[in-house]
Amino acid sequence: MIRTFIPNLLTLMNLLSGAIAVVMALETNFYFAAYLILAGAIFDFFDGFAARLLRVSSPIGKQLDSLADLITFGLAPATMLLALLKQHWAGDVAYFSYENWAIFIPFLLVLFAALRLAKFNVDESQSKHFQGLPTPANALFIVSFVFLLLSHTSWVTHEFVIPIIVVFSFIMVAPIPLMGLKEFSGQQKVYILILLIGSLAALILFKFTAGVIIIPFYIALSGIKFAFSKKQ
């Protein structure tokens, strides 16, 4: 029972990190929220690692993992974006105005993250590659997008922000094949190395906004990989 509980404890720490990140986001403490989401991602990695190392798995652990991911990689990044939009769009206007209600559009990300996680739990074909953008990757993009908007406040417009939210909500559930990162062999390792080098360069150059480069690069690289495999 102790061996089974260790991965679940790590998953609960992921959930706790995400829950506190939501609070920090509501208080517009964006850097602290981002670090907590990163901590959740680390716990998310190690709960699966611990389960494989201890050779334990359970249906409860699988469901708990999705619930934690929904909070940490769905609700927390969406709340960061909502808090930012509230600063810019909700002002001295009528309560039922578009400007007031548009700040809730980031919750589309939460709805589609829930759908994405539910589909992943029942889709056995996603063991080696993904169909749609995984929620941690989407969270990385949204968190970086928030910092991009913080540094370019003139971009916080309905015409720019809303299409980004809609597109990345859809990409999570779209039937787009994206490469997994667990299998490091054959041609796969070449693409993973390219992704790692590109990601490292983006982190060095762009720091907190690197995700807006890394995730589109990951999607494009996956497209090249699967197009080349299909051609072969």
Side-chain angles (χ1 to χ4, degrees), residues 111-129:
L111 301 179
F112 279 86
L115 183 57
R116 156 76 197 172
L117 290 164
K119 289 178 65 176
F120 181 79
N121 280 351
V122 299
D123 187 358
E124 296 181 358
S125 68
Q126 297 193 53
S127 59
K128 292 186 178 180
H129 70 274

Side-chain angles (χ1 to χ4, degrees), residues 5 27 45 49 59 67 70 76 97 142 156 158 181 185 198-199:
F5 183 68
E27 295 180 355
F45 171 80
F49 179 79
L67 292 171
L70 179 59
S97 69
I142 297 301
V156 189
H158 297 88
L181 304 178
S185 61
S199 299

Side-chain angles (χ1 to χ4, degrees), residues 15-204:
L15 177 56
L16 180 62
S17 299
I20 300 174
V22 171
V23 177
M24 292 297 103
L26 289 172
E27 295 180 355
T28 65
N29 193 337
F30 296 120
Y31 283 95
F32 197 8
Y35 283 125
L36 285 165
I37 293 170
L38 176 61
I42 294 170
F43 285 123
D44 185 51
F45 171 80
F46 279 105
D47 66 2
F49 179 79
R52 290 188 294 272
L53 182 66
L54 298 172
R55 298 179 181 178
V56 293
S57 63
S58 68
I60 291 178
K62 185 176 182 180
Q63 300 304 321
L64 185 62
D65 188 68
S66 291
L67 292 171
D69 286 356
L70 179 59
I71 300 300
T72 304
F73 307 128
L75 182 59
T79 306
M80 288 180 65
L81 189 52
L82 178 146
L84 174 65
L85 298 184
K86 186 177 179 181
Q87 291 180 330
H88 291 268
W89 291 355
D92 187 19
V93 293
Y95 182 75
F96 288 103
S97 69
Y98 176 70
E99 285 77 9
N100 266 326
W101 287 96
I103 63 173
F104 296 107
I105 288 177
F107 283 137
L108 276 177
L109 296 162
V110 185
L111 301 179
F112 279 86
L115 183 57
R116 156 76 197 172
L117 290 164
K119 289 178 65 176
F120 181 79
N121 280 351
V122 299
D123 187 358
E124 296 181 358
S125 68
Q126 297 193 53
S127 59
K128 292 186 178 180
H129 70 274
F130 301 111
Q131 289 287 335
L133 188 65
T135 52
N138 192 69
L140 172 60
F141 179 88
I142 297 301
V143 170
S144 293
F145 185 56
V146 168
F147 286 105
L148 181 68
L149 295 177
L150 283 170
S151 59
H152 298 83
T153 54
S154 61
W155 295 359
V156 189
T157 64
H158 297 88
E159 295 78 13
F160 180 64
V161 174
I162 292 176
I164 294 292
I165 294 172
V166 172
V167 167
F168 274 84
S169 295
F170 174 73
I171 286 177
M172 280 191 283
V173 298
I176 302 172
L178 297 172
M179 63 179 179
L181 304 178
K182 293 181 181 179
E183 185 180 347
F184 192 73
S185 61
Q187 291 184 345
Q188 176 87 351
K189 64 182 179 182
V190 176
Y191 290 99
I192 292 176
L193 285 172
I194 293 172
L195 178 62
L196 289 175
I197 293 170
S199 299
L200 182 60
L203 284 168
I204 293 171

